[in-house]
């Protein structure tokens, strides 16, 4: 039994004791959007790890795998371009390739009014990409 199952079992037992009746918990199935969000976050996390690995190899060990990795990045970028609008892809590519500097500092994203938009996690990126996709979709319908 994993941690989530143990937690759910503990909640069930507590509820049973409080109301004095044997109950059961029904798990809500994840929506397609929830599943897409989880896959997107895992992909972005993996790409972040790959990008950091490349920085470490380049900065600390003076190894440059740019030409080797180029075709992989081309495929990844092309797949994003198929799935997302140009504007959303720009955000994704910024997050993966340009957000973090070699010294560990992060570049900000600003809206048209100059307000800084939080973009410190794959979850933040997902929300911003979704919002961008919605706005682009509405603009195209007009």
């Amino acid at each position: 039994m994993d941690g989530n199952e143990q937690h759910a079992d503990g909640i069930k037992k507590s509820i049973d004791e409080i109301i004095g009746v044997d109950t059961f918990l029904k798990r809500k199935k994840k929506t397609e959007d929830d599943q897409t969000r989880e896959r997107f976050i895992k992909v972005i996390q993996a790409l972040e790890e790959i990008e950091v690995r490349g920085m470490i190899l380049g900065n600390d060990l003076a190894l440059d795998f740019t030409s080797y990795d180029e075709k992989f990045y081309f495929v990844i970028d092309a797949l994003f371009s198929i799935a997302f609008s140009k504007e959303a892809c720009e955000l994704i590519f910024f997050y993966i390739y340009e957000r973090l500097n070699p010294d560990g500092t992060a570049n900000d994203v600003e809206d048209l009014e100059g307000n800084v938009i939080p973009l410190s996690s794959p979850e933040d990126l997902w929300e911003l990409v979704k919002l961008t996709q919605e706005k682009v979709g509405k603009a195209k319908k007009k």
Side-chain angles (χ1 to χ4, degrees):
M1 190 180 299
D2 71 4
N4 287 337
E5 290 176 10
Q6 288 176 342
H7 181 70
D9 191 47
I11 291 172
K12 180 194 174 313
K13 287 178 182 175
S14 296
I15 292 171
D16 290 352
E17 289 175 12
I18 291 170
I19 63 175
V21 180
D22 191 29
T23 61
F24 69 95
L25 296 177
K26 183 177 178 182
R27 292 183 189 255
K28 179 183 170 189
K29 288 190 176 187
K30 291 181 182 176
T31 65
E32 187 175 331
D33 191 51
D34 291 337
Q35 293 172 3
T36 301
R37 177 183 180 275
E38 286 179 6
R39 281 192 304 269
F40 178 86
I41 289 170
K42 286 180 183 179
V43 166
I44 296 299
Q45 287 170 334
L47 289 171
E48 281 183 293
E49 291 171 11
I50 292 166
E51 191 66 17
V52 168
R53 180 198 67 195
M55 280 190 224
I56 291 169
L57 289 173
N59 295 337
D60 296 350
L61 304 174
L63 296 173
D64 184 9
F65 286 98
T66 306
S67 60
Y68 176 78
D69 291 340
E70 192 173 325
K71 286 200 185 261
F72 294 110
Y73 284 120
F74 169 78
V75 170
I76 292 165
D77 292 354
L79 290 171
F80 276 126
S81 297
I82 291 169
F84 297 101
S85 69
K86 177 184 172 221
E87 295 80 2
C89 284
E90 288 176 8
L91 288 169
I92 294 167
F93 299 152
F94 169 81
Y95 183 87
I96 295 168
Y97 306 124
E98 299 172 32
R99 182 178 62 93
L100 294 179
N101 298 311
D103 65 2
T105 60
N107 296 313
D108 291 328
V109 173
E110 295 181 359
D111 64 13
L112 296 174
E113 287 83 40
N115 301 314
V116 174
I117 299 171
L119 192 58
S120 59
S121 69
E123 291 83 0
D124 291 343
L125 178 60
W126 172 252
E127 294 304 321
L128 191 55
V129 164
K130 243 179 99 176
L131 181 64
T132 302
Q133 290 284 96
E134 290 169 6
K135 288 190 181 226
V136 168
K138 287 179 184 176
K140 285 184 179 178
K141 288 181 183 177
K142 289 182 178 180

